[in-house]
Every structure is written in C-alpha cells, then in structure tokens.
Amino acid sequence: MKAVPVDEKLIPTSCIHNCSGRCFLHAHVKDGVLVRLSPGEQGPEAPDCPQTKACLRGLAQRHWLEHPDRLRYPLKRIGPRGEGRFARISWEEALTVIAAEMQRIKTTYGNSAIYLNYGTGVYGQISDAYVTGDGQGALPRFLNMFGGYLRYYNSYSAACYTVAAPYTYGTVEGQSPADLPNAKLIVLFADNPAETRMGGANTPYYLSLARDKGAKIIVIDPRYSDTAASLADEWIPVKPTTDNALIAALAYVLMAEQLVDQSFLDRYCLGYDEEHMPAGIPAGNSFKSYILGLGEDKTAKTPAWAEAVTGVPQADIVRLAREIGLTKPCALLQGLGWQRHAYGEQPVRALPVLAAMTGNIGIKGGGPGLRPGGHKLLMGWMPAGTNAVAAQIPCFTWTEAIVNGKQMTADQGVRGVDCLGTNIKLIWNYASNTLINQHADINATARILADEKQCEFIVVHDLFMTPSAKFADIVMPDVSHFEREDIVTFSSGIAYAIYHQKVSEPKFECRSIYDICSCLADRLGFGPEYTEGKSEQDWLREFVKVAQSHDGEFPAFEEFRRQGIYKQQPDKPVIAYEQQIREPGAAPFATPSGKIELFSPRLWALKTPEIPAVPQYIPAWEGPEDPLRKRYPLQCIGYHSKRRVHSTFENIALLEAVEPHALWLNPADASLRQLAAGDKARVFNDRGELIITVRVTPRIMPGVVAIPQGAWWTPDAGGIDQRGSINTLTKYRPTPLAFGNPQHTNLVEVAKL
Ligand SMILES: Nc1nc2c(c(=O)[nH]1)N[C@H]1C(S)=C(S)[C@@H](COP(=O)(O)OP(=O)(O)OC[C@H]3O[C@@H](n4cnc5c(=O)[nH]c(N)nc54)[C@H](O)[C@@H]3O)O[C@H]1N2
Ligand SMILES: Nc1nc2c(c(=O)[nH]1)N[C@H]1C(S)=C(S)[C@@H](COP(=O)(O)OP(=O)(O)OC[C@H]3O[C@@H](n4cnc5c(=O)[nH]c(N)nc54)[C@H](O)[C@@H]3O)O[C@H]1N2
Ligand SMILES: [Mo]
C-alpha cells in the first residue's frame, strides 16, 4: 500500500472521460477535501496485464473539480439564445419548466422531435452520456419511459470506420495491442496512440515493447506526431485525404515486384483480380484492374502518379512497399484521423487490402489492417427498456434534422422509418459540447440554434458554462464523478472495471443525472417505475451481479468497491479473424460471400461514384486538387492532443502551460506569410475566422496546417473566434456512405494579425 500521511484517506476513483483511457486513480482526501490524485495501485507491470497509466490530465483533475467557474445553480436564459446571459433559478423552477416543455413538445410534435444529443463527457453504467448499443443508462431510461426519443447512431469518432470496415470483413475485429511485440514491422496510418491511446488503452506501451524487441515502426501522418517522435524509426508525411493514392501505389509496387501472397488472396478474398470476381460484374472492376489502370479511369497507380497526388517521393513509396512486402509479420494499423475526412470510407477499406495482399491477416504479429481490439468485460447497466421511437439519425446530421427533419429519409441516413417526418424541437444536451463546439461549422450551427422557432427548447447539463451551455434555455449544474459513485469499464488488450467511490460532497446545488431524472419522472407521473425505489448504489450492486454471472472471479461488491479496480487477465492476445483463416471452410467471414470482400457487391449495387466497390482514391472537395486552393491554399487538419480530452479540461491552466494551444505551421509557409513563432495569426475561410498563436515547426509538412481540436469557441462582437476552435472553419457535409463528419477536411488561409 502507498505510504500516506496519517490524516489522509485514500479513496479509489477514476478518470471517466473520453480519451480511450479510463485510468485507475487514488484520491488523497484530507478533512473531506481532495488534496491530490495519484495513479491507483495495481500490482506489478506485466505485458499480459498492464497497469492503467494515469496521465497529466487525469492527475490534474483537482483543478477541474475545485475550479472557481464550476456551475453552481440552475440557470435560465434571459437574453437572446446563444448570447450567454442567464439568471439563477431554483431547482423547483428548472424542473417545472423542463417537464412542461417536454410535455408540450411531445403533444405538439411527438416524441421523435425530442433529441438526445451526442456527448461523451461521462462514462459509467448509470451516468453514461454516450448512447451505445441498445442505449442504456439513466437518461435513456428516463426518456424511454416518457415515450421515447430520437436516437443517433454512429459516432463523431469512427463513423466511416464502423460503417465501411464491415463491407470488407462482415465484422470489425481488432488485434490485441499485446500482440504488437510479435510484429517485425509496424506501420501506423493516421494513428497517434502516443497521445490518443495512452492510459488503459496502453498502445504506446506495447509499441515500445515491440521496438525494444527490434520491430521497425513507421508513421504515415502529415504531422510528425508525438507517436512519430517518440516511437517511430521513420516518418512519412502525406497530404491529408490522399492516403488511398499512397496505398494504391504500394499495391502497384507489390504487384510489379511479385511480392503478393496470391494463394492467400485466392483462398480468402473476393474481387482482388478478374479471376475472383462475383458473377455478372463487367471486366475491369477488380482491385487489380483499378491499380493497373485497366478500369474505368485508365490510370495506372504508379509511384510517379502517387507522388504527384500525395507528396510522398516515389523512391520512398517503392522502399515502403518493399519493406511491407518482405517483412513478415507486419502489423498495419489505422487510426481514426484519415476517416474524419471527405471520403473517409475509402482509406478504411484500403488498408485491409494491403494486409490481405501480404497475407498478414489472422496471424500473430500481423493483423487485418484495422484498429487494435481485444477483450470485453460484461457489466450490468441501468436498464433503459425500449425506445418507442424507431427513427434514428446519423449523429452528425442533427443540425440538418432541426432545419429539415420533416423531409429526411434513408438518403440522409435515417434508419428505422421511411421518413423522419418531424424536425427536432427539443434537445437534451448532457455532458456534451457537441451542441456547438465539437460539431462542424460553428457559425452556421449558431445561426440554427439562435432561432427559437426552429429548435424550441434546449437543456444543457454540464459542470461549466461551455460554449454549448451558452445556447441552453435551461442550464443544470452537474456533480462531477468525484461527487457520486459509479462503475466504468474499459475494453482493450485487457478488460477491466473501475469502481469510483464518492470522493467529496456535491458542491453548491449540483445534481446528478439520476437525481434529476428521478425528480422529473416524479413530476411526469412515473417516479416509482423509474427508480424502483433504488439508490445509485443499489443499482451498482445489481450491475456487479451481472459481471459475476459472466466471470466467476469477479469479486464481491464490497471488495470491488474497496479495491476500486478489477482486471480480467486474458489467456492470450486476440488474433483477429484467426479462426476464419485457420478453418476457411468451417468459419466463413460474415460477409454475404463468406470471403474478405475487397470488391464489395453490396457497394457495387449502390451505383454511386462516391462509394466505389473497391477502395479508391477520390480527390476530396477541399483537398489538394480542389480549385478552391487558389483562394485558400492550406489544408487544415485537426487532431486530438494530449492537452485536452476534446474540449474537456480546456479550462485547466496547468495543462495549458504544458502545451499551449497553437497552430502548427511549416517554416516555408510561415516565411511566405512573414509569420514567426509566437505571432498571432488569423486563420480563415468562407465559413469563419479564428485567431491563434503560431507554432512554426518542421513537424508539419508544407501546405498543411494543424489545430488541435477542442479549444472553446470564443467569438468577439464580430464573430471572430479569439481562442482558436477549429470547428469555426470546418464544413457540414456528411460523408457519402456513413454520413460521417469530415472535420479534418478544410481549406484555409493564414495571415498575420
Ligand atoms: N474539428 C473536430 N471536431 C471534432 C473532432 C475532431 O477531431 N475535429 N473529434 C470529434 C470526436 S472524435 C468526438 S468523440 C467529439 C467529442 O465531443 P464531446 O462528446 O462533446 O466531448 P467534449 O468536448 O469533451 O465535451 C464533453 C462535455 O462534458 C462535460 N463534462 C465532463 N464531465 C462531466 C460530468 O461529470 N457531468 C456533466 N454533465 N458534464 C461533464 C465537459 O465539461 C464538456 O462540456 O468531438 C468531435 N469533434
Ligand atoms: N489526449 C486525448 N486522447 C484522446 C482524445 C482526446 O481528445 N485527447 N479523444 C479520444 C477520441 S474520442 C478519439 S475518437 C480518438 C481519436 O484518435 P486518433 O485516431 O488518433 O485521431 P486523430 O487525432 O483525429 O488523428 C490521428 C492522426 O491522424 C493524422 N491525420 C489527419 N488527417 C490525416 C490524413 O489524411 N492522412 C493521414 N495519414 N493522417 C492524417 C493527424 O495528424 C493525427 O496525428 O482519440 C481518443 N483519445
Ligand atoms: Mo471520438
């Protein structure tokens, strides 16, 4: 046990934010006050059962819990919506208004007009903000009992990934990160785990073990990311949105130099070459024909062709292809950065082709060219029952559903009904800054939200007066997870559950989501059904019983609560699609053909040029080939930085001191604009303008700039964002198949302020 002063109590707690981490922490509490956080004790570090590795953000959370700006009381809007003027009200008044508005909107427009917005600020079996799977937790339970609500599907994280990858494999299976040390070569495309899969996800840990064992690591990214800087042997910069051209040329070289595992392709894949196409498809449509220029575009995807598109020198492309073709096993990993683009579906399906061409699928040290996966721990949830509203929209399209929901159909991604039939009239925005800050095209969104005739009622439940909270009609102050109990689980190389005890008493008049939903349920006439007379801890006891029923070693409730963490130590790492490769007859892939569909008949049937049946390079709007570059010559990408979790922790000054928010700009682009490090610059396009400090660095390729996503939009009187929120510049244009968010595809100009 840790040595602590006698007057300090150690209480198990966690980090429950959306960083792909979920770390176990100890709260050091003195006289009821949190004095510091330290990494929770978890026994020795071991590759088959690694520790969750708390980061600076997690350890700095005292500054967040005790922040002077914490919301204290319920508030109601007193000025025009979005202006940010509020008056304190009582909970009585807040709950009365919310209940009345819910009733009014239900009666006037029906339950489908009530939208629970995407949010990821809180994870937990009771208080989860992100509506996953069948949509469980306290808030969905409440809304279902009220008659249902309009749900979203997809995420802002991985829309293209989760929609496109199953067209190739039928399912989405990732290889355990614990298997990475078996690889001889690891190539990361648009993947920055050193910043985005730290903590419990542990990918940097396994990458460093792999490197220690002699594996070569290559990073493909327009930025020399922290992953490239800290873990890689080589960095290959590529122009954003052009990875498909790079992969096509890699495939071309593999073909030209006979580095292709033809027997793997013949045995397991559909549509690699003309000999393995489904019946009825005209010649020239296989992947190989596309690469060799025998298809419709009559363009061979040679390294010279790809150099012009991607900016990667042809010699580097040839060398990389040889390395991938000759080094086995090779793990090809994709991040989510390249699918948050105009045609984000395309790279997702392209990397698996390389994995198949090199026979790396289903083997140790290799992998399917997807993202890391692993084990899952089953835990009970606060049951939500069923949602009487069948309609679902892609989470990115909610602004469209405010304006044009009545007409939205499958063409706009609507599922469950033929036509949505109503516009969104009420938004419940819980633990989310996606109402404005994290959604695309902030200025357009602000105009939509400001119109009270469109969306008639907005409630925000948060800890701070975020840019989103400023658009609320009623703001409710939440307790943080340090002020309530819950269980949070995480799946990665290992699966684990953390019990976070209450560390300090709720501040001011802050109330949890369960508390609020219970009070509202009372007012709306289903209080007893909602709570079943149970406290939060009563529910948690039930959830643990579920975990115990799946895992005989799961500890008793009291022990789990006292310990704070339970880890399932896996027997062995998951090797994705191992069975399908070992027993092809007995275990087909879950695609219609049972094969790995490099050519997808289902996509072919869509007959949409923007959704080809084999993954292709499609020049992006606002990509390097868009004529708009004459006016806005720089590609502006976002990325998820270690500084924040999205917009959460934006207000912790200590973290800002560690990594100040800044625009990455190559020295060549800086000197063209007479900009020096530390200067303030304007970044703008037709959608908006922001002011940001410039970081002049060769860590970003010329022609590309980067802004870490998540800074809080802070418009001045003229609408110019003074802080540098990248969504001031991003575009609302859903991707063609997944209706995903292309928030990394933007053209801008930068100028000295
Ligand atoms: N341009 C651009 N935009 C992006 C992205 C990008 O890469 N580029 N990434 C997208 C992705 S992948 C995602 S997942 C989304 C994330 O977007 P969001 O899910 O909106 O995540 P956050 O911005 O962290 O907002 C979480 C909110 O929860 C609040 N919160 C934290 N703890 C609590 C709590 O205990 N109770 C309550 N009630 N509130 C709490 C925080 O104060 C914050 O306002 O952003 C997307 N937006
Ligand atoms: N510290 C921290 N960790 C996080 C989060 C956070 O906010 N903060 N958010 C979590 C969440 S919800 C998510 S979804 C994940 C996302 O995590 P990631 O999958 O890592 O996503 P990004 O940071 O958007 O992009 C990864 C990399 O892709 C690069 N990139 C952008 N465009 C392109 C391109 O066209 N081609 C190539 N080759 N590279 C490109 C970017 O420069 C970046 O380095 O991170 C999670 N982890
Ligand atoms: Mo995400």
Side-chain angles (χ1 to χ4, degrees), residues 389-408:
V389 173
Q392 298 191 359
I393 58 170
C395 66
F396 185 52
T397 65
W398 61 273
T399 33
E400 198 172 339
I402 292 179
V403 180
N404 195 31
K406 268 190 183 155
Q407 272 83 44
M408 278 170 74

Side-chain angles (χ1 to χ4, degrees), residues 16-18 64 117-123 127 129 155-158 336-337 339-340 429-435 437-440 460-469 476-484 511 513 637-640 644-649 651 707-710 712 725-728 730 741-744 746:
I16 49 93
H17 304 288
N18 183 18
W64 179 77
N117 198 20
Y118 178 91
T120 66
V122 176
Y123 283 81
S127 300
S155 61
Y156 280 71
S157 310
L336 297 169
Q339 54 94 65
R340 225 173 276 114
N429 189 81
Y430 165 55
S432 162
N433 207 353
T434 305
L435 189 65
N437 209 70
Q438 299 302 109
H439 186 60
V460 170
H461 189 196
D462 206 293
L463 264 64
F464 294 99
M465 184 52 75
T466 61
S468 290
M476 301 188 293
D478 199 358
V479 296
S480 74
H481 66 287
F482 295 118
E483 297 155 304
R484 57 176 178 79
R511 285 201 192 177
I513 189 71
I637 53 169
Y639 69 98
H640 295 227
R644 282 179 292 264
V645 180
H646 308 290
S647 71
T648 303
F649 305 145
N651 51 4
I707 299 176
Q709 60 104 21
W712 285 14
S725 181
I726 185 172
N727 285 317
T728 312
T730 56
N741 45 320
Q743 282 162 293
H744 291 343
N746 311 287

